[in-house]
Amino acid sequence: MTALRIVRYATWGAVALVLVVVAYLTWHWQQAGGVDRLAPVAIGGPFTLTDQHGATVTEAALQGHPSALFFGFTFCPDVCPTTLFEMSGWLERLGPDADRLKIYFITVDPERDTQEVLAEYLSAFDPRITGLTGTPEAVAEMIKGYRAYAAKVPLDDGGYLMDHTASVYLLDSEAVFRGTISYQEDPDTALAKLRRLVDNS
Amino acid sequence: MTLARARDVCTWRTFWPVRAMRVAILFGAVCAGGNAGQMSPALAQATVDALSITAAWTRATPPGARSAGGYFTIENPGSEADRLVAASSPLAARVEIHQMRMQGGTMTMRPAADGVALPPRSSLTLAPGGLHLMLMGLTQSLAEGTSVPVTLTLQNAGDIEVRLEVLGLGARGPVPAGATDGTEAGSGR
């Protein structure tokens, strides 16, 4: 009997503890502003990279206009060229609003994707798409800041592929993360998301 | 036994019933083949491997791109299982078979180490977002409107030549049947 009583008290104690913790976290969350911001963790951060024309680009470039960011690499046979193609299509369909939206293609493979490689590769797509590369450290920092995922996958012949986040990040004119467009998302849905982003920024 | 000899027999110059009957049974198929001319090689092909490849396509590559995906539908109407184990192309240093997966927004690609199984009476489609040929180390850009020769190696059927039609940069799928002719096994083009 005694043992059972101990167990019962201990369990009630645990329940009480959980309630106290939840109450505290809720209060803390309310203090932090509730659902005003999409994510409680910051997405973004400072970066220093080079575009395909050789100009230095930092996080300041994201201020003052909506942006769409895509992390990929030129050795990618499917997701990357098709997403870039879709993005070119979005720019066309947005019409004059497209001038306000800036699109960035950030390489997750800076060792192979140099400035020259990016310049050549992106010449097949809308010239308003800017490619960004840099030192492996600088690129890694940007990937980390945007909570994106990129990892090398070695192949038998010594080459490698990259696993990477395939979604497009949408940022408003204050460079605040506002959502994503998934790979192979319905084109009309994607366009609607972009219009909303441009209209609200 | 040469074709001339077979034709010889078929004209019934040797008119003995027993020999004629034996000959008819043995060379019936060859006669039909000989008379039809070109059909002979295809007939031989059909009895060995009945696999067919259709809707073979790829996309035009951006300048400087060193890899491309290859897609097609392969049908195994026979009663024997087979396996696609390797591929090669004169336009690529290396061709592998890869499986792409989207895992919660992250794209991953892995080589299919043991190839791809083709069960009896089944059809398999390699398409964007899933299984595909990975052409690596392209020796040239792929231009829309051209085609890429690829040799597929099957465990039982051996080598099959196909040509991947090069579609546009953002193509999502093959041209519907009828608009362009798919490549059949054994045609050797």
Side-chain angles (χ1 to χ4, degrees):
Chain A
M1 253 326 164
T2 314
L4 189 60
R5 196 175 294 174
I6 291 172
V7 169
R8 196 188 304 151
Y9 287 164
T11 314
W12 278 118
V15 169
L17 186 65
V18 167
L19 283 174
V20 164
V21 168
V22 167
Y24 170 72
L25 284 177
T26 309
W27 171 83
H28 187 77
W29 181 67
Q30 294 284 359
Q31 293 291 305
V35 286
D36 276 356
R37 290 285 140 115
L38 202 61
V41 281
I43 290 187
F47 62 85
T48 307
L49 297 171
T50 314
D51 74 12
Q52 76 264 39
H53 307 297
T56 304
V57 175
T58 68
E59 70 280 5
L62 299 175
Q63 295 289 332
H65 56 79
S67 311
L69 271 58
F70 179 67
F71 294 89
F73 61 117
T74 70
F75 212 89
C76 169
D78 187 4
V79 172
C80 306
T82 53
T83 302
L84 284 169
F85 183 81
E86 305 262 317
M87 285 168 143
S88 298
W90 299 337
L91 286 173
E92 256 183 67
R93 288 172 72 185
L94 278 177
D97 288 336
D99 292 338
R100 300 196 43 234
L101 177 71
K102 296 264 180 287
I103 299 194
Y104 296 95
F105 173 72
I106 302 128
T107 182
V108 298
D109 185 11
E111 285 167 39
R112 290 189 299 203
D113 292 345
T114 61
Q115 177 210 319
E116 293 80 18
V117 166
L118 278 187
E120 195 186 13
Y121 189 81
L122 291 173
S123 66
F125 308 100
D126 195 298
R128 287 170 288 186
I129 298 176
T130 303
L132 296 179
T133 183
T135 64
E137 296 77 28
V139 167
E141 210 175 293
M142 179 157 195
I143 292 171
K144 201 168 104 175
Y146 282 87
R147 303 276 187 275
Y149 176 75
K152 267 191 196 171
V153 178
L155 291 172
D156 286 339
D157 64 345
Y160 59 90
L161 296 171
M162 304 286 304
D163 287 352
H164 65 97
T165 304
S167 313
V168 175
Y169 287 67
L170 301 176
L171 309 179
D172 67 14
S173 46
E174 282 165 23
V176 173
F177 173 69
R178 284 290 170 199
T180 62
I181 293 176
S182 326
Y183 172 61
Q184 284 189 336
E185 179 144 5
D186 176 65
D188 293 327
T189 315
L191 199 64
K193 284 186 180 177
L194 283 172
R195 272 205 204 284
R196 208 160 45 233
L197 180 75
V198 171
D199 291 342
N200 293 342
S201 297
Chain B
M1 181 70 64
T2 63
L3 209 58
R5 182 87 181 101
R7 267 208 304 276
D8 225 7
V9 167
C10 285
T11 56
W12 303 103
R13 269 208 227 153
T14 50
F15 204 66
W16 306 315
V18 173
R19 187 185 283 194
M21 195 159 59
R22 215 174 23 202
V23 149
I25 291 165
L26 280 174
F27 295 111
V30 178
C31 270
N35 287 338
Q38 279 175 302
M39 244 171 65
S40 191
L43 211 62
Q45 190 79 22
T47 56
V48 172
D49 51 57
L51 293 169
S52 74
I53 316 258
T54 52
W57 66 284
T58 181
R59 293 190 191 98
T61 51
R66 272 110 355 126
S67 64
Y71 316 99
F72 52 85
T73 298
I74 179 166
E75 197 186 317
N76 180 14
S79 53
E80 300 284 321
D82 208 335
R83 184 171 275 272
L84 176 64
V85 291
S88 68
S89 171
L91 295 188
R94 204 181 151 85
V95 181
E96 289 181 1
I97 304 155
H98 284 194
Q99 170 77 52
M100 190 190 116
R101 271 194 193 90
M102 286 295 294
Q103 290 166 332
T106 302
M107 182 214 83
T108 64
M109 273 206 311
R110 294 288 180 275
D114 297 325
V116 184
L118 298 169
R121 282 175 291 276
S122 72
S123 152
L124 176 76
T125 299
L126 277 66
L131 274 173
H132 57 276
L133 288 184
M134 178 82 167
L135 285 75
M136 300 183 285
L138 290 175
T139 57
Q140 63 185 67
S141 289
L142 303 182
E144 188 175 347
T146 64
S147 65
V148 180
V150 170
T151 304
L152 300 174
T153 302
L154 284 97
Q155 201 161 48
N156 299 334
D159 285 350
I160 300 182
E161 306 284 327
V162 297
R163 289 199 86 93
L164 306 175
E165 295 299 320
V166 181
L167 304 181
L169 203 52
R172 283 189 180 225
V175 181
T180 193
D181 64 315
T183 306
E184 304 286 339
S187 57
R189 277 183 292 103

